[in-house]
C-alpha cells in the first residue's frame, strides 16, 4: 500500500479540535488542491464560503442541528454548488442560457463534491482532521440568507477543519462484494452481505462503547428515512433555480 | 508542498491508454480506498459496475457520445447512486421507509462522487490515469437497461482507468479569489476574475494547439447550456425513483 492509499484508508471524521487556527496560506493551498479535481466540461460549478464571523459560526452550528464543532473548529467552510458564475459568463459570451435544469443541479452538486473531497484529502495529508456537515441542509434557506447566497447557488454541505484533539477508530465499510459488481447489477447476495455487515457494525459499536451501544448498520439507518428526509429540499432547490425542469 | 498535494495538483484527464489491463487486486485496493471517503450518516449509497464485457463497453462508448476510450481503457467503471441497498436494509429492520425524496437524490449522488474522487486519487497514486465520463447521462435509460440497474439506482458517471499513453498538461483553474469567499457571497469582482481567467484559457488553448484554437473559458461553456442540458434527466430520475418529491 503506498502512502497516499494509506492516508485515504485512515480517514475518520474528527469532531473535536485543538484551539489552533489554520494558517491562511495553508487554507489557500487546500482550496487550490481541491480545484484540481475533475470538473464537468471545465465548468467548475462551485464556490466556498469561509465563515469567519463567530456569531455566524454559532448560528450555523445551531441551524445544523446543534453541532457545536461548527463553531469551535479551526475553520468552517460552506461548499456551494454555483451555476451563477458559469451561466453569466456564457451569457456575456452571447449564449442563450437555459437555467433550472435537473442536469445542472447534478453537475454542480457533483463538481462541488469532487472538489471538496480533494480538499479533504489535501487537509488530511497536512495532519488536519475534518468532518462534513450535511446538517446545513436542515435549514438551507436560513443558511443561504446568512451567507447572502444569490440565485443559482445553494449550500451543499459544510466542512469543519482543524488540528485533531481526538483519535477515533476508522469505521468499517460495507464488504467490497456488495459495492463492486461485474457487468450487471446482481443483487442475489446483497441481503447476506448486509447481514454480514450488520454483524461487523454490531461488534464495532459494542467494543467502542464497552457494551453499551447494542445496534447495527440497518438499525442505525432507520432515522435516515424518517427524520433526515428533509422534505423541504425539493422546494428549496426550485426556489434557488435548481431542478425546476 | 507534500507529495499527496503534489499528486492532487498534477491531475489531468487521460483519454489514451496503454493496452495493459489493471490487475484485479489493484482494482479492489482502489475501490476499498474509495469506500473510505466520508459518507452521509454511514449510508454508503453507491455501487460500482465494473464493465468487462467488450460488447457492452462498445455500446456504452457509443451511448456516451462516441467516446472510444470507454471501450479501450484498461478498465471502465460505472458509478451508481444506490438507495436500494440502504432502504431495503432499513425496511428489513422495521422502518417505514419513504422513497423518492430529493434529499435522497442528493445524498446518494454526493456519496457516489466523494467515493469516486477517493478512488481517482488512489488510482493516480499508483500511476494510473483516468477520465470521468459524464456522457453516460446522454442515454441514462439505455445504460441502466444494459447494466440491469434496478429501481432506486441510477448511473451518475463512468470512469475510464488505465496506464497513460499520453502526457497532457494540467489545465488551469479559476483564480482562487473567485472560488473562495469570506463570510458572504460577494460577487463584486467576479466579472473581472472571469475576464482574467478567459485570458489565461485563451493563452492556454493557443499554446496547446500552435495557434489554432482561438477561444476562451466563457466561449467553451456555451454548449453546456444548449446541447448538454440533458433535458431528459428530470423524467429519467423520477422514473428511477429519485427526486419525485
Amino acid at each position: 500500500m503506498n502512502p497516499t492509499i494509506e492516508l485515504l484508508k485512515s480517514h475518520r471524521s474528527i469532531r473535536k479540535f485543538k484551539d489552533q487556527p489554520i494558517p491562511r496560506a495553508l487554507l489557500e493551498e487546500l482550496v487550490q488542491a481541491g480545484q484540481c479535481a475533475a470538473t464537468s466540461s471545465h465548468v467548475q460549478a462551485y464556490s466556498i464560503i469561509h465563515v469567519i464571523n463567530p456569531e455566524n459560526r454559532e448560528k450555523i452550528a445551531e441551524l445544523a442541528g446543534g453541532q457545536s464543532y461548527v463553531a469551535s473548529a479551526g475553520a468552517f467552510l460552506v461548499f456551494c454548488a454555483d451555476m451563477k458564475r458559469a451561466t453569466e459568463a456564457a451569457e456575456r459570451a452571447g449564449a442563450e442560457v437555459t437555467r433550472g435544469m435537473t442536469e445542472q443541479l447534478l453537475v454542480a452538486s457533483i463538481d462541488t463534491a469532487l472538489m471538496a473531497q480533494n480538499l479533504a484529502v489535501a487537509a488530511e495529508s497536512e495532519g488536519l482532521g475534518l468532518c462534513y456537515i450535511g446538517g446545513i441542509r436542515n435549514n438551507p434557506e436560513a443558511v443561504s440568507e446568512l451567507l447572502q447566497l444569490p440565485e443559482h447557488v445553494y449550500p451543499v454541505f459544510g466542512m469543519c477543519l482543524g488540528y485533531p484533539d481526538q483519535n477515533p477508530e476508522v469505521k468499517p465499510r460495507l464488504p467490497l462484494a456488495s459495492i463492486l459488481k461485474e457487468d450487471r447489477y446482481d443483487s442475489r447476495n446483497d441481503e447476506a452481505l448486509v447481514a454480514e455487515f450488520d454483524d461487523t457494525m454490531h461488534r464495532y459499536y459494542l467494543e467502542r462503547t464497552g457494551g453499551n451501544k447494542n445496534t447495527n448498520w440497518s438499525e442505525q439507518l432507520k432515522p435516515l428515512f424518517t427524520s433526515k428526509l428533509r422534505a423541504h429540499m425539493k422546494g428549496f432547490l426550485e426556489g434557488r433555480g435548481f431542478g425546476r425542469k
Side-chain angles (χ1 to χ4, degrees), chain A residues 128-186:
Chain A
L128 297 174
L130 61 102
C131 64
Y132 281 85
I133 306 292
I136 61 165
R137 295 197 304 274
N138 289 349
N139 289 290
E141 202 78 73
V143 170
S144 303
E145 208 176 298
L146 202 66
L147 306 178
Q148 301 176 33
L149 303 185
E151 232 196 322
H152 307 114
V153 178
Y154 93 90
V156 185
F157 44 69
M159 188 187 285
C160 297
L161 272 174
Y163 294 93
D165 196 21
Q166 62 177 176
N167 188 16
E169 266 178 82
V170 172
K171 212 167 174 177
R173 293 294 193 260
L174 281 161
L176 182 83
S178 73
I179 298 299
L180 183 60
K181 298 169 188 288
E182 280 191 13
D183 279 323
R184 64 187 191 89
Y185 194 101
D186 179 350

Side-chain angles (χ1 to χ4, degrees), chain A residues 51-113:
Chain A
V51 187
I52 299 171
N53 180 310
E55 265 177 55
N56 286 358
R57 296 267 299 257
E58 292 286 354
K59 272 184 207 158
I60 297 174
E62 206 162 306
L63 290 168
Q67 303 198 55
S68 60
Y69 30 94
V70 167
S72 60
F76 182 68
L77 307 177
V78 177
F79 289 79
C80 302
D82 185 343
M83 267 294 168
K84 176 181 154 71
R85 183 193 304 112
T87 44
E88 291 184 355
E91 225 163 26
R92 285 193 299 270
E96 271 198 45
V97 166
T98 304
R99 292 180 168 93
M101 307 300 288
T102 294
E103 169 68 8
Q104 294 167 340
L105 169 65
L106 290 182
V107 162
S109 305
I110 294 165
D111 254 30
T112 303

Side-chain angles (χ1 to χ4, degrees), chain A residues 4-66:
Chain A
T4 300
I5 293 184
E6 216 166 305
L7 177 78
L8 296 171
K9 287 192 169 180
S10 66
H11 166 76
R12 62 273 189 281
S13 289
I14 297 295
R15 294 187 174 83
K16 197 163 176 272
F17 300 97
K18 290 186 182 146
D19 186 17
Q20 186 181 343
I22 295 171
R24 172 76 193 185
L26 176 56
L27 183 67
E28 292 189 356
E29 173 96 325
L30 303 182
V31 175
Q32 279 167 340
Q35 288 186 261
C36 292
T39 159
S40 179
S41 306
H42 204 213
V43 62
Q44 305 167 74
Y46 42 68
S47 290
I48 296 174
I49 313 287
H50 178 204
V51 187
I52 299 171
N53 180 310
E55 265 177 55
N56 286 358
R57 296 267 299 257
E58 292 286 354
K59 272 184 207 158
I60 297 174
E62 206 162 306
L63 290 168

